[in-house]
């Protein structure tokens, strides 16, 4: 180990990490809106409305109601200038969203929360549909309510202005499945369109403005003639439809099966894929390929969690945006429906995380879901990887960073490959465990094998074909190659929580709920020894990258280091107040980083057993912990749905400390120069800023003598001068006073004026004594006369 250090760059222990970036939930369901220019996305998240930059995925602003109530609805005006939000407190707020300022607040007048709202095409009228079955229309410019429309049944969940503002019509739908047309001149309902047998989910107007397309959860879309107010056609969609979007009139959609001119619309619903329909014939001309694996017929019918909840056109970018029930927001090219970008709005509980890519440009995240998520760090673009059919529990990455493996509750192991463009595909799959696979580890030297452990208390070694990586790079893997376990061994008496492979691929270590860790030879899995000493189950095991040492972390709150030769405990690190879930070696194996179930991270120096730093960034169990190849970034994942990137700031803090020290030296020199030049006023200010009490006192003493002489020349200030002089004489010995520069001149100047002040005080004292004498005599005469009068 010492030789390794001697032959490399100087080793400096890490002292601190700082949060570099945070992936946290920004969308938890509800309506999503995108600005007309396609640059910003508005996503409700509980009490907040998050405004995201679509290009970078960064959070621009987070708008929050003062009363901390959930935002029930919001809308952005067509000109992208006005944002209005409604909350459960029955208040409406108008925002200058770019500055994150609330412009005004007013009462919604509704007796129940506002469920939906929409602006008219001119951005001057705002319609609000409430849970109280009423619709209000507001003049946003003049700031008053213009209409109160009554007659709906139940919650009004759709309001839509007719695009022709000269008609002054509003369309709405509520829980009675009717589509109502309101005349705003008379404030009356002039027509009710009936035809749906379930909730109406969207209303879309055709370019001729006399045709309306409505979609519903009754698995149909209806095309209405607004002149006759009758249904022209009913289009069976064969799935619950959440949105129908009209394809733009201009554009080449031949790639999507659009061969004829005429009205075409796109639907999104419970099956989780997009369909394009020809309105004239009610025929489906395009069906989007299914990006995921169906589990059973029921899921085929219902779409399960893959269903789409929203769909919208983004004219500014010529894109179609969809929102899934899993809170993923996906952008497609409008003309080809090719995936452009994808965001994950909510990750649920995050169970594991790893850096990915040759330059650690991505992270792969296992959430409480069968899907994996691969985030590109530069843009926040998220790939959703389908393959597992139950919750993914663990991840590990091969040394080069392009291939990684995952395991899940579905008892399977999968191997994935990333190409140069950053796209990831599944290249191999292994089945064989009797229960969920909870931990795995990849080989360290080459992409040659994967070790898995399971709740069935066994470990399995899966050999990867040598040609697998080459085929994957060449794009020749059309379907996942089936893997078979090379070795199976019963390892422990209870669940195996962790497994790891040594840096030379010759050893395997496992940690179990039975409180022991075991060392196995690889690849035959023969037992070499047992590590006993923890008082509760072991959560993680890790080999040192440089020493013959194994680190273990346990639910007993400790981290232990063990020697591989004699299986003895070398060191114990105590400091966590909760279970230690993950550990990794950093600083070339000289330090440890651990994460606990209380959300804390701790940095340990192995040589001194010292906890150097405690990092507090999560609010719940930290299940995932991984370091990049450069050893300057750490990624953590937690049950609080957050993934955090931590940057090593040791060098930065050291440079800042050195710069501060150099600045201090410069100021000290400047102070010395000022004192030498007798610029006492500047020196006093600088000494105070440097927190130098002794220097401040010296400066005051040096300057006070000069001021003292001046004060003493004037009878009005002589009392202050004498008070200071008294203080100096009482607290400073003559020897000290003689050391002050200019003391002789000061004394010579002080003596004559001081004598004159004392002479004046002496005369004043004599005069006061005479007055006192006269006063006493007068009092005695008065008392004698009073006694004579009393005797008479």
């Amino acid at each position: 180990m010492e030789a390794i250090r001697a032959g490399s760059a100087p080793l400096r222990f890490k002292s601190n990490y700082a949060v570099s970036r945070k992936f946290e939930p920004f969308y938890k369901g509800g309506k999503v809106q995108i600005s007309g220019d396609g640059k910003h996305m508005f996503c409700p998240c509980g009490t907040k409305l998050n405004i995201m930059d679509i290009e970078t995925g960064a959070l621009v602003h987070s708008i929050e109601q003062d009363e901390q109530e959930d935002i029930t609805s919001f809308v952005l005006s067509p000109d992208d200038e006005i944002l209005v939000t409604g909350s459960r407190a029955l208040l409406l707020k108008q925002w200058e969203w770019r500055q994150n300022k609330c412009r005004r607040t007013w009462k919604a007048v509704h007796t129940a929360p506002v469920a939906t709202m929409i602006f008219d095409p001119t951005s001057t009228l705002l319609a609000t549909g409430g849970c109280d079955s009423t619709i209000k229309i507001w003049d946003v410019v003049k700031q008053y309510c213009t209409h109160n429309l009554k007659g709906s049944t139940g919650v009004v969940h759709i309001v839509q202005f007719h695009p022709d503002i000269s008609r002054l019509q509003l369309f709405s739908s509520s829980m009675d499945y009717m589509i109502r047309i309101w005349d705003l001149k008379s404030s009356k309902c002039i027509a009710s369109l009936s035809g749906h047998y379930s909730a109406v989910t969207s209303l879309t107007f055709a370019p001729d403005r006399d045709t309306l397309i409505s979609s519903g959860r009754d698995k149909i879309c209806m095309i209405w003639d607004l002149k006759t107010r009758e249904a022209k056609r009913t289009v069976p969609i064969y799935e619950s439809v959440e949105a129908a979007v009209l394809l733009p009139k201009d554009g080449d959609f031949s790639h999507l099966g659009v061969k004829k001119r005429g009205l075409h619309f796109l639907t999104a619903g419970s099956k989780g894929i997009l369909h394009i329909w020809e309105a004239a014939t009610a025929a489906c001309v395009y069906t989007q390929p299914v990006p995921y694996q169906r589990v059973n017929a029921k899921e085929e019918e219902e779409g399960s969690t893959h269903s789409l909840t929203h769909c919208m056109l983004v004219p500014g970018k010529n894109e179609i945006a969809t929102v899934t029930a899993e809170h993923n927001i996906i952008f497609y090219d409008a003309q080809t429906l090719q995936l452009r970008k994808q965001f994950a709005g909510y990750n649920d509980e995050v169970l594991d995380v790893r850096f990915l890519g040759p330059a650690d440009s991505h992270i792969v995240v296992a959430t409480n879901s069968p899907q994996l998520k691969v985030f590109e760090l530069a843009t926040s673009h998220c790939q959703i990887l389908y393959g597992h059919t139950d919750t993914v529990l663990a991840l590990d990455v091969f040394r080069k960073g392009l291939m990684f493996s995952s395991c899940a509750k579905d008892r399977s192991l999968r191997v994935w490959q990333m190409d140069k463009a950053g796209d990831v595909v599944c290249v191999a799959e292994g089945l064989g465990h009797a229960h969920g696979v909870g931990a795995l580890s990849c080989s360290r030297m080459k992409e040659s094998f994967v070790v898995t452990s399971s709740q069935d208390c066994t470990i399995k070694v899966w050999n990867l074909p040598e040609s697998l990586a080459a085929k994957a790079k060449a794009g020749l893997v059309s379907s996942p190659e089936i893997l078979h376990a090379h070795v199976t061994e019963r390892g422990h008496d209870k669940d195996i929580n962790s497994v790891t492979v040594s840096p030379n691929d010759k050893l395997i270590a496992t940690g179990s709920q039975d409180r022991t860790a075991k060392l196995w030879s690889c690849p035959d899995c023969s037992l070499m020894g047992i590590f006993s000493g923890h008082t509760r189950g072991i959560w993680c095991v890790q080999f040192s990258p440089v020493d013959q040492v194994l680190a273990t972390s346990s639910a007993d709150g400790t981290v232990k280091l063990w020697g591989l030769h004699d299986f003895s405990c070398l060191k114990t690190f105590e400091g966590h107040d909760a279970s230690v879930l993950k550990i990794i070696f950093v600083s070339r194996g000289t330090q440890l980083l651990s994460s606990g179930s209380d959300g804390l991270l701790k940095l340990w120096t192995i040589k001194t057993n010292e906890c150097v730093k405690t990092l507090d960034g999560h609010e719940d169990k930290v299940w995932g912990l991984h370091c990049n190849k450069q050893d300057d970034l750490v990624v953590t994942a937690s049950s609080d749905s957050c993934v955090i990137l931590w940057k090593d700031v040791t060098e930065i803090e050291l440079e800042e400390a050195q710069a501060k020290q150099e600045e201090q030296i410069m100021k000290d020199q400047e102070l010395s120069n000022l004192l030498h030049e007798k610029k006492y006023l500047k020196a006093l200010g600088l000494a105070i800023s440097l927190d130098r009490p002794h220097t401040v006192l010296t400066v005051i003493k040096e300057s006070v003598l000069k001021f003292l002489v001046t004060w003493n020349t004037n009878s009005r200030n002589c009392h202050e001068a004498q008070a200071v002089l008294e203080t100096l004489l009482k607290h400073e010995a003559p020897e000290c006073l003689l050391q002050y520069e200019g003391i002789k001149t000061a004394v010579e100047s002080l003596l004559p004026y001081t004598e004159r002040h004392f002479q004046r005080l002496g005369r004043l004292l004599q005069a006061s004594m005479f007055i006192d004498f006269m006063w006493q005599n007068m009092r005695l005469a008065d008392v004698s006369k009073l006694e004579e009068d009393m005797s008479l």
Side-chain angles (χ1 to χ4, degrees):
M1 182 173 174
E2 297 299 330
I4 291 174
R5 293 178 191 164
S8 58
L11 177 66
R12 177 173 285 131
F13 290 134
K14 300 182 189 301
S15 61
N16 196 12
Y17 288 90
V19 175
S20 170
R21 189 166 178 192
K22 198 169 185 178
F23 293 83
E24 55 186 336
F26 64 84
Y27 169 63
K28 292 184 177 180
K31 172 189 174 182
V32 170
Q33 191 170 348
I34 297 170
S35 60
D37 56 13
K39 293 182 178 180
H40 295 93
M41 179 168 59
F42 297 76
C43 306
C45 189
T47 61
K48 299 178 181 179
L49 178 64
N50 293 319
I51 304 172
M52 313 296 295
D53 186 316
I54 296 176
E55 184 68 27
T56 64
L59 177 66
V60 179
H61 291 306
S62 188
I63 288 174
E64 191 168 8
Q65 303 279 138
D66 294 335
E67 64 275 4
Q68 297 292 310
E69 291 280 353
D70 281 358
I71 293 175
T72 58
S73 61
F74 75 94
V75 69
L76 180 69
S77 61
D79 59 7
D80 290 347
E81 293 300 321
I82 305 172
L83 176 70
V84 177
T85 61
S87 70
R88 293 190 182 278
L90 305 184
L91 293 176
L92 296 177
K93 288 180 178 287
Q94 182 177 328
W95 301 84
E96 293 180 2
W97 60 272
R98 291 184 176 88
Q99 289 75 38
N100 198 16
K101 291 182 180 179
C102 180
R103 185 175 176 183
R104 72 184 185 102
T105 302
W106 72 98
K107 292 182 180 180
V109 187
H110 291 277
T111 57
V114 174
T116 184
M117 57 177 73
I118 195 73
F119 272 98
D120 78 329
T122 65
S123 301
T124 57
L125 293 179
L126 172 71
T128 58
C131 296
D132 59 359
S133 307
T134 67
I135 300 169
K136 319 286 184 189
I137 298 180
W138 308 83
D139 188 317
V140 178
V141 177
K142 298 180 180 178
Q143 302 181 5
Y144 71 97
C145 181
T146 62
H147 297 76
N148 182 17
L149 308 178
K150 298 180 179 180
S152 301
T153 303
V155 176
V156 179
H157 57 269
I158 292 180
V159 285
Q160 188 76 45
F161 283 97
H162 193 283
D164 185 355
I165 57 174
S166 63
R167 295 193 188 185
L168 284 176
Q169 289 181 343
L170 180 77
F171 291 70
S172 71
S173 183
S174 59
M175 299 307 292
D176 58 4
Y177 318 141
M178 303 283 287
I179 300 171
R180 289 180 171 81
I181 305 175
W182 304 84
D183 179 19
L184 300 185
K185 295 177 181 177
S186 62
S187 297
K188 292 181 179 180
C189 178
I190 57 175
S192 295
L193 310 181
S194 61
H196 284 282
Y197 297 94
S198 188
V200 177
T201 53
S202 70
L203 299 175
T204 306
F205 294 93
D208 63 8
R209 301 187 177 186
D210 287 320
T211 303
L212 173 71
I213 302 174
S214 63
S215 65
R217 295 197 179 112
D218 51 7
K219 303 183 181 181
I220 62 171
C221 285
M222 299 191 71
I223 302 173
W224 305 88
D225 186 334
L226 296 182
K227 291 181 178 178
T228 62
R229 295 167 187 167
E230 297 290 338
K232 292 168 62 176
R233 186 169 288 102
T234 298
V235 182
I237 306 298
Y238 308 109
E239 67 171 327
S240 178
V241 186
E242 293 297 329
V245 176
L246 207 64
L247 289 183
K249 188 176 181 180
D250 300 326
D252 179 14
F253 297 96
S254 57
H255 295 288
L256 303 178
V258 178
K259 305 298 182 183
K260 303 177 182 178
R261 289 185 174 274
L263 200 63
H264 290 78
F265 60 94
L266 179 146
T267 60
S270 59
K271 290 185 178 179
I273 54 177
L274 299 174
H275 299 272
I276 295 178
W277 305 83
E278 188 176 30
T281 62
C284 179
V285 298
Y286 177 82
T287 299
Q288 188 183 30
V290 180
Y292 46 86
Q293 176 183 353
R294 300 289 192 188
V295 180
N296 51 45
K298 184 179 180 182
E299 185 174 351
E300 175 72 32
E301 174 66 23
E302 297 178 357
S304 186
T305 56
H306 305 303
S307 62
L308 300 176
T309 59
H310 298 282
C311 183
M312 67 208 84
L313 181 67
V314 188
K317 296 288 186 179
N318 194 28
E319 292 177 339
I320 297 288
T322 64
V323 182
T324 73
E326 291 181 314
H327 308 110
N328 300 320
I329 303 165
I330 310 169
F331 292 82
Y332 297 100
D333 183 283
Q335 295 185 352
T336 63
L337 288 188
Q338 294 295 313
L339 178 66
R340 282 190 177 178
K341 182 168 276 192
Q342 191 164 213
F343 295 100
Y346 182 63
N347 288 322
D348 202 0
E349 185 175 5
V350 187
L351 303 179
D352 208 353
V353 64
R354 288 289 188 276
F355 281 104
L356 188 62
D360 297 318
S361 56
H362 296 69
I363 57 172
V364 55
V365 180
T367 64
N368 193 19
S369 163
Q371 286 79 51
L372 289 167
K373 295 174 182 176
V374 177
F375 291 91
E376 186 179 11
L377 296 178
T379 63
S380 296
H381 171 55
C382 174
Q383 295 179 61
I384 308 295
L385 305 183
Y386 299 94
H388 287 287
T389 56
D390 206 341
T391 302
V392 179
L393 298 175
L395 302 164
D396 199 16
V397 179
F398 289 95
R399 181 171 59 90
K400 293 182 180 179
L402 289 173
M403 190 178 283
F404 68 96
S405 57
S406 60
C407 59
K409 285 184 179 180
D410 61 8
R411 309 177 186 178
S412 74
L413 152 78
R414 283 183 176 263
V415 180
W416 309 79
Q417 174 76 33
M418 173 183 279
D419 62 19
K420 292 182 179 179
D423 296 324
V424 179
V425 294
C426 181
V427 295
E429 178 185 11
L431 288 168
H433 280 288
H435 294 285
V437 186
L440 82 165
S441 181
C442 297
S443 54
R444 304 303 181 199
M445 304 292 287
K446 297 179 180 179
E447 292 101 342
S448 55
F449 66 89
V450 178
V451 182
T452 60
S453 63
S454 167
Q455 292 177 345
D456 60 15
C457 303
T458 66
I459 56 175
K460 290 180 181 288
V461 180
W462 310 77
N463 288 338
L464 303 183
E466 292 183 6
S467 60
L468 184 63
K471 285 182 179 178
K473 288 178 183 177
L476 300 176
V477 181
S478 57
S479 60
E481 190 163 334
I482 302 301
L483 303 178
H484 299 282
H486 172 66
V487 178
T488 300
E489 185 70 33
R490 182 173 176 83
H492 292 266
D493 296 327
K494 292 185 178 180
D495 293 359
I496 301 174
N497 295 326
S498 179
V499 62
T500 186
V501 177
S502 64
N504 61 4
D505 286 347
K506 293 182 178 180
L507 299 172
I508 298 171
T510 56
S512 169
Q513 205 65 32
D514 64 9
R515 307 178 187 177
T516 66
K518 292 185 179 182
L519 188 67
W520 312 82
S521 65
C522 186
D524 61 346
C525 283
S526 59
L527 182 63
M528 300 180 65
I530 301 175
F531 305 94
S532 300
H534 283 291
T535 58
R536 297 187 68 182
I538 294 175
W539 279 111
C540 187
V541 290
Q542 286 290 334
F543 284 103
S544 168
V546 292
D547 287 333
Q548 297 292 307
V549 169
L550 180 75
T552 60
S553 67
S554 168
D556 61 15
T558 66
V559 176
K560 290 180 182 289
L561 291 184
W562 309 83
L564 298 183
H565 295 296
D566 56 4
F567 309 104
S568 62
C569 180
L570 305 176
K571 285 179 179 288
T572 299
F573 301 89
E574 297 178 343
H576 279 281
D577 294 327
S579 298
V580 187
L581 303 177
K582 277 289 174 70
I583 44 172
I584 57 171
F585 283 90
V586 294
S587 307
R588 302 180 203 163
T590 60
Q591 289 182 294
L592 280 169
L593 195 61
S594 60
S595 66
S597 60
D598 55 2
L600 298 178
L601 303 177
K602 287 184 179 290
L603 178 64
W604 309 84
T605 299
I606 294 175
K607 186 176 182 180
T608 61
N609 268 56
E610 177 189 5
C611 177
V612 179
K613 191 72 177 180
T614 298
L615 306 173
D616 187 3
H618 290 286
E619 298 177 357
D620 208 340
K621 302 177 185 68
V622 181
W623 290 111
L625 178 63
H626 193 226
C627 184
N628 69 341
K629 298 183 188 72
Q630 296 296 322
D631 198 24
D632 60 354
L633 278 178
V634 169
V635 62
T636 56
S638 169
S639 296
D640 62 7
S641 304
C642 291
V643 175
I644 298 179
L645 284 174
W646 303 83
K647 184 179 181 180
D648 176 15
V649 293
T650 304
E651 293 287 343
I652 297 173
E653 289 184 347
L654 184 63
E655 290 174 3
E656 289 177 351
Q658 289 176 345
K660 192 174 182 180
Q661 187 177 5
E662 290 174 3
E663 185 183 1
Q664 190 83 0
I665 292 171
M666 294 293 292
K667 286 185 176 180
D668 286 343
Q669 184 60 48
E670 183 183 356
L671 179 60
S672 177
N673 294 341
L674 290 172
L675 288 173
H676 181 72
E677 295 168 6
K678 298 182 181 180
K679 296 179 179 178
Y680 294 122
L681 186 60
K682 290 184 178 179
L684 180 62
L686 187 56
I688 291 172
S689 67
L690 291 173
D691 193 22
R692 299 290 178 81
H694 180 72
T695 307
V696 170
L697 182 61
T698 303
V699 171
I700 290 174
K701 286 178 179 178
E702 293 287 353
S703 58
V704 131
L705 285 173
K706 186 191 296 183
F707 296 147
L708 198 60
V709 171
T710 305
W711 296 342
N712 201 47
T713 59
N714 194 318
S715 59
R716 286 178 297 179
N717 305 322
C718 68
H719 304 291
E720 290 82 0
Q722 293 299 321
V724 174
L725 187 59
E726 180 187 13
T727 303
L728 286 174
L729 293 173
K730 279 185 177 181
H731 292 86
E732 295 287 339
E735 296 80 9
C736 295
L737 290 172
L738 288 172
Q739 294 178 1
Y740 293 158
E741 187 178 348
I743 186 68
K744 185 177 180 181
T745 307
V747 170
E748 289 175 352
S749 301
L750 283 168
L751 280 173
Y753 282 99
T754 302
E755 289 178 357
R756 185 182 303 174
H757 296 322
F758 271 100
Q759 288 173 2
R760 187 174 65 254
L761 288 173
R763 290 194 297 271
L764 184 62
L765 180 62
Q766 288 177 0
S768 66
M769 290 176 66
F770 177 75
I771 292 171
D772 185 59
F773 172 76
M774 293 295 294
W775 170 248
Q776 291 294 334
N777 286 336
M778 288 171 65
R779 284 187 64 196
L780 290 172
D782 290 342
V783 169
S784 299
K785 185 177 180 181
L786 180 61
E787 289 177 349
E788 288 177 3
D789 292 342
M790 288 179 67
S791 62
L792 293 174

